[in-house]
Amino acid sequence: MNRIKPSWAGSICLTILCFLLCACSTTTGNKTPSSPSGTSTTGATAGEEQIAHAVFQAINQSRAKSGLPALTWSTALASSARQHDLAMQAANTLSHQLPGEAALGDRERKQGVNWTWAAENVGETSDQSVNGALSLHRAMMSEQPPDDGHRRNILTTSGNIAGVAILIDQQHGLLWLTEDFARV
C-alpha cells in the first residue's frame, strides 16, 4: 500500500509565506549545495542512500521530460529530510509536521540552508524496495489538478536544490520517503 500526503494546502500557505519572506530576504550567506558522495552524512544505510539517489534521479528525469533544468543534490536537505523520516517513524504517522517538530523551513535552516523558497513531499509504502520508492514517485507524478501539490513541487520553477531521504522501518514494515526542495 502506498500513501502520499497531500500538500496543496500546505503548498499554498508555504507559497504565501515564502513570497513574504522573499520580499524581505536576500540570498547572501547561503551555503552551496553539495554533491552526493559515497559516505552518508545522514545516518542512512547504504541501501537507503541508494534508493534516495534513485528517487532523486527520477525527479530530474521527470523534470527533463517537462523541459525543466535538473535540481542540484543538497546533502543538507537530505539531512533535513532524514530527520523528518525519523520523526514520522517515531510517531508512525505520515505528516508534514508532527507535534513538537519544527516547521519545514526551520528544519531546513537548522541544516544550514538559507532558502528563499522551500517545499516538501512525503510518502510511505509497505514495499521497502527501490520499486516501492519509485512507485511513490510515479503516484506523485500522476496527480491531477487541483490535487497535484507533489507533482508541482517536483516540477517547480522556484527551486534549484533538493535532498531525498529514505527510511526503511522494519518495526512498522514501511518505507518512509521525504523530499525537501529549496531555492538558495
Side-chain angles (χ1 to χ4, degrees), residues 14-35:
L14 191 57
T15 300
I16 292 168
L17 175 63
C18 289
F19 175 77
L20 294 173
L21 288 172
C22 287
C24 302
S25 299
T26 65
T27 58
T28 304
N30 286 338
K31 286 188 174 180
T32 302
S34 43
S35 300

Side-chain angles (χ1 to χ4, degrees), residues 91 93 95 97-102:
T93 301
S95 178
Q97 185 175 10
L98 296 155
E101 182 185 35

Side-chain angles (χ1 to χ4, degrees), residues 44-53 130 166 168:
T45 67
E48 290 167 336
E49 291 272 335
Q50 181 180 20
I51 296 170
H53 287 288
V130 69
I166 297 293
I168 305 295

Side-chain angles (χ1 to χ4, degrees), residues 45-180:
T45 67
E48 290 167 336
E49 291 272 335
Q50 181 180 20
I51 296 170
H53 287 288
V55 171
F56 179 72
Q57 185 176 28
I59 287 169
N60 278 333
Q61 288 171 348
S62 294
R63 292 176 61 77
K65 287 179 186 173
S66 294
L68 297 168
L71 298 173
T72 300
W73 177 266
S74 167
T75 300
L77 288 181
S79 183
S80 173
R82 175 67 177 191
Q83 294 306 309
H84 188 62
D85 281 347
L86 290 166
M88 290 191 297
Q89 175 193 32
N92 194 26
T93 301
L94 183 68
S95 178
H96 286 285
Q97 185 175 10
L98 296 155
E101 182 185 35
L104 167 65
D106 294 331
R107 294 191 315 257
E108 289 186 357
R109 280 201 179 94
K110 184 178 179 183
Q111 296 301 320
V113 179
N114 295 316
W115 53 268
T116 59
W117 175 88
E120 176 177 76
N121 290 342
V122 296
E124 68 176 358
T125 180
S126 57
D127 182 346
Q128 297 179 330
S129 70
V130 69
N131 290 332
L134 292 175
S135 72
L136 290 171
H137 175 75
R138 287 189 297 275
M140 290 177 186
M141 290 305 297
S142 295
E143 292 173 346
Q144 298 294 313
D147 297 321
D148 64 336
H150 297 102
R151 188 180 68 75
R152 286 193 322 266
N153 286 343
I154 291 167
L155 300 179
T156 182
T157 58
S158 299
N160 61 356
I161 63 172
V164 179
I166 297 293
L167 177 64
I168 305 295
D169 179 357
Q170 298 301 334
Q171 178 186 1
H172 301 108
L174 295 172
L175 176 149
W176 299 97
L177 164 73
T178 299
E179 302 169 345
D180 281 354

